[in-house]
């Protein structure tokens, strides 16, 4: 029975990792630019500003 050499295992792991990361990057880009998610991301972009009621005064909130 012939076993895999260390170099072969390293090459397989590197190739799998490369294709895995490429697939994940494509999936994330598709999710981020999918038209149905536009409202969610627009809301997230403005949500942090909507709760502001004035300039920061240095006082603790009650």
């Amino acid at each position: 029975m012939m076993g895999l050499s260390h170099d072969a295992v390293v090459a397989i792991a590197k190739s799998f990792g490369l294709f895995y990361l490429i697939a994940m990057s494509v999936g994330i880009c598709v999710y981020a630019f999918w038209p149905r998610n536009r409202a969610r991301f627009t809301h997230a972009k403005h949500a942090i500003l909507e709760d502001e009621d004035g300039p920061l005064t240095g006082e603790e909130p009650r």
Side-chain angles (χ1 to χ4, degrees):
M1 180 173 148
M2 183 174 164
L4 291 174
S5 69
H6 179 263
D7 292 335
V9 173
V10 169
I12 291 170
K14 284 183 177 182
S15 297
F16 175 76
L18 174 67
F19 293 124
Y20 173 76
L21 288 176
I22 289 172
M24 289 295 292
S25 298
V26 169
I28 289 168
C29 287
V30 167
Y31 173 76
F33 292 108
W34 200 259
R36 188 171 50 175
N37 293 331
R38 180 180 302 272
R40 178 185 298 169
F41 289 128
T42 302
H43 173 72
K45 180 172 72 172
H46 295 289
I48 194 166
L49 300 175
E50 291 172 355
D51 293 334
E52 298 287 331
D53 57 352
L56 182 63
T57 61
E59 299 175 2
E60 290 290 322
R62 297 181 209 182

